[in-house]
Amino acid sequence: MTKAEYLLSELRSSLWVKPSIMGVAASAWVSIAYLCSTWMPGELWIEVKRDILINLLGIMASTMLTVATFSVAAMVSAFASVASTATPRATRIVMQDSTSQNALTSFLSAFIYAIVALVAISIANYGQGGRALLFVGYAFMVGWVLVSFVRWVDRVSKLGRMGDTLERVEEACREAFCSPEAMGTLGAAKAEGDAPSGTRIKASKIGYVQSINVAELDRIAEKIGGNIHILERPGAFVDPHDSLVVISGGEMPDEETSSLIHDCFNIGDARRVVSDPRFGMIILSEIAGRALSPAVNDPGTAIAVLGIQIRLVETWSKLRSETDEVKYPNVEVAALDPEDLLDDAFTAISRDGAAIFEVGVRVQKCLAVLARLGHGELTAAARRHSSLALEQSDQALKTESHREAVRQLAGLVGR
């Protein structure tokens, strides 16, 4: 992911971007209407009285301010609900909901348009054509707001609920799990064995690796005539003592080259699901862990999470032939380890749900599905987690019949 792509991804998830852009566009339309009023013949346009237009814009301004305030309050309440009932890590994903962003954009844009148009028509002399264009803008805003409001009413009834949160998290995770690069070697060559000897470039600050511009690293490696071995995948926590890459062969990297390599790594204070599939599994696991807490006692949510995790891992398994495609031959990186992926997905759920028979059964059934996908490393990881989950269930379940049922299902995983 390039720097520009990373910044665009960050902007898309920010609530202020769309309203700001559309607010500027609405203000621009007011300016265009004034410019057109000076040279366009008035007889080409319908007659819109100045007083009527001012009244209409005043109604829109007052109404949209109220609606926008209500929308923001509803969204803040929904985000707080997601943080308290699911996990705070899911809040950012829910905030990216396009329907909510578009509704808020329409309300704020209409408010900005009405305010700007009221000020403009009060201090400037708009002719018949200019007032007609202002009315066209008003009519467009009213239509857009009505459509957005109808969609928003349906959306706000679901926003913040557990089922909707799980759906949003699954959609966000699927973007990463459907990416051969994110689930494989980032488009680089697959590294075998330990890291080679060479010049190490250390991290410039403390934080999580959010994305890596592998294409630029490949160009740097080709320029210096060497090979770059990436030591940290997206999601890794690094500090200035940790090495990001090892450069072997070619010219000794100078200060400028080291700076360019640092620029290829976006390091921030939080992980990102889009480039870090393991983080998606952690978010889902946290949701299940909270559902399994004694205060909540909701094993059904944990079972639903397990179903999502299985669908995501199956998606990855189908991409096996594409994840090893090499686009950047001068760069090496270790492939995503199935063991790590299942650790993030099942460790907490197996531990927290060990005393709940339904959860123990579903964990073994899910691991049996993974073991039958035909992926050697994934099968081995599924069997290890099956043994671990069985050990925890044997100690936590109170009845022998339940323990025996879980043992029988675990036996299917080991075959």
Side-chain angles (χ1 to χ4, degrees):
M1 180 181 291
T2 64
K3 208 77 170 180
E5 291 173 338
Y6 173 77
L7 291 175
L8 285 174
S9 175
E10 290 294 294
L11 289 175
R12 286 194 203 101
S13 64
S14 300
L15 290 177
W16 62 269
V17 175
K18 287 183 178 180
S20 298
I21 294 174
M22 294 307 298
V24 171
S27 302
W29 181 258
V30 175
S31 301
I32 292 172
Y34 177 74
L35 294 175
C36 291
S37 67
T38 61
W39 58 271
M40 296 185 69
E43 58 270 14
L44 295 179
W45 303 93
I46 61 173
E47 175 66 28
V48 181
K49 299 295 184 181
R50 181 175 180 275
D51 293 341
I52 294 177
L53 188 58
I54 289 177
N55 289 334
L56 291 175
L57 292 172
I59 293 172
M60 174 182 280
S62 59
T63 304
M64 288 302 100
L65 179 60
T66 303
V67 173
T69 303
F70 158 75
S71 301
V72 172
M75 292 173 69
V76 170
S77 177
F79 299 154
S81 175
V82 170
S84 61
T85 61
T87 173
R89 262 63 61 189
T91 305
R92 183 181 179 86
I93 295 175
V94 177
M95 288 176 63
Q96 298 175 1
D97 176 60
S98 60
T99 302
S100 300
Q101 288 190 0
N102 292 338
L104 183 61
T105 298
S106 67
F107 302 151
L108 289 177
S109 299
F111 172 72
I112 293 171
Y113 176 79
I115 291 296
V116 174
L118 276 173
V119 173
I121 201 172
S122 299
I123 64 176
N125 183 23
Y126 276 75
Q128 184 173 337
R131 293 195 301 273
L133 287 177
L134 287 180
F135 181 77
V136 170
Y138 168 83
F140 171 79
M141 286 295 179
V142 169
W144 185 22
V145 165
L146 289 176
V147 173
S148 299
F149 188 76
V150 171
R151 296 183 63 194
W152 169 244
V153 169
D154 177 68
R155 186 73 193 91
V156 77
S157 66
K158 304 173 184 176
L159 194 65
R161 298 182 182 275
M162 181 59 73
D164 182 72
T165 300
L166 288 176
E167 183 179 343
R168 299 297 160 189
V169 173
E170 182 176 5
E171 288 178 2
C173 292
R174 190 167 296 281
E175 183 177 350
F177 276 81
C178 289
S179 169
E181 294 185 4
M183 296 304 298
T185 57
L186 310 178
K190 184 177 181 180
E192 302 289 350
D194 297 331
S197 58
T199 304
R200 290 177 174 257
I201 306 296
K202 297 184 179 297
S204 58
K205 58 182 179 179
I206 298 174
Y208 291 96
V209 177
Q210 295 177 335
S211 66
I212 304 174
N213 188 348
V214 184
E216 182 62 25
L217 286 176
D218 185 70
R219 284 191 287 269
I220 294 173
E222 187 175 1
K223 179 181 177 181
I224 63 177
N227 184 273
I228 295 179
H229 183 102
I230 298 176
L231 298 175
E232 304 290 357
R233 290 179 61 93
F237 184 78
V238 297
D239 62 64
H241 296 91
D242 293 320
S243 298
L244 297 176
V245 301
V246 175
I247 302 176
S248 58
E251 303 174 3
M252 181 69 67
D254 54 19
E255 186 174 343
E256 181 182 358
T257 301
S258 299
S259 177
L260 291 174
I261 291 176
H262 280 135
D263 290 341
C264 293
F265 287 80
N266 291 313
I267 299 177
D269 57 357
R271 300 171 73 171
R272 296 288 183 264
V273 173
V274 66
S275 59
D276 183 7
R278 290 184 59 187
F279 185 50
M281 286 298 189
I282 290 174
I283 293 176
L284 289 167
S285 181
E286 287 181 349
I287 295 174
R290 179 164 291 186
L292 292 171
S293 65
V296 179
N297 191 24
D298 180 20
T301 294
I303 291 173
V305 166
L306 287 168
I308 294 172
Q309 291 175 330
I310 291 303
R311 291 194 292 271
L312 293 174
V313 177
E314 183 189 22
T315 299
W316 172 46
S317 178
K318 293 178 179 179
L319 291 175
R320 280 184 300 165
S321 60
E322 303 176 38
T323 54
D324 293 333
E325 181 182 356
V326 179
K327 297 180 180 178
Y328 313 110
N330 300 306
V331 182
E332 293 182 351
V333 65
L336 183 64
D337 190 352
E339 190 74 41
D340 293 337
L341 197 64
L342 295 196
D343 281 344
D344 297 327
F346 291 100
T347 300
I349 299 177
S350 298
R351 179 196 64 222
D352 298 336
I356 303 176
F357 174 68
E358 308 95 285
V359 176
V361 167
R362 185 55 61 94
V363 166
Q364 295 297 341
K365 287 183 177 180
C366 289
L367 291 170
V369 172
L370 297 183
R372 293 195 294 265
L373 289 178
H375 188 298
E377 294 180 348
L378 184 60
T379 298
R383 288 174 177 171
R384 187 183 74 82
H385 276 275
S386 174
S387 299
L388 178 61
L390 176 60
E391 181 181 350
Q392 293 171 328
S393 295
D394 276 341
Q395 295 178 6
L397 290 174
K398 296 181 179 179
T399 61
E400 179 59 31
S401 60
H402 283 175
R403 288 194 291 268
E404 182 59 29
V406 175
R407 291 190 197 109
Q408 291 178 1
L409 290 172
L412 297 177
V413 182
R415 293 180 183 175

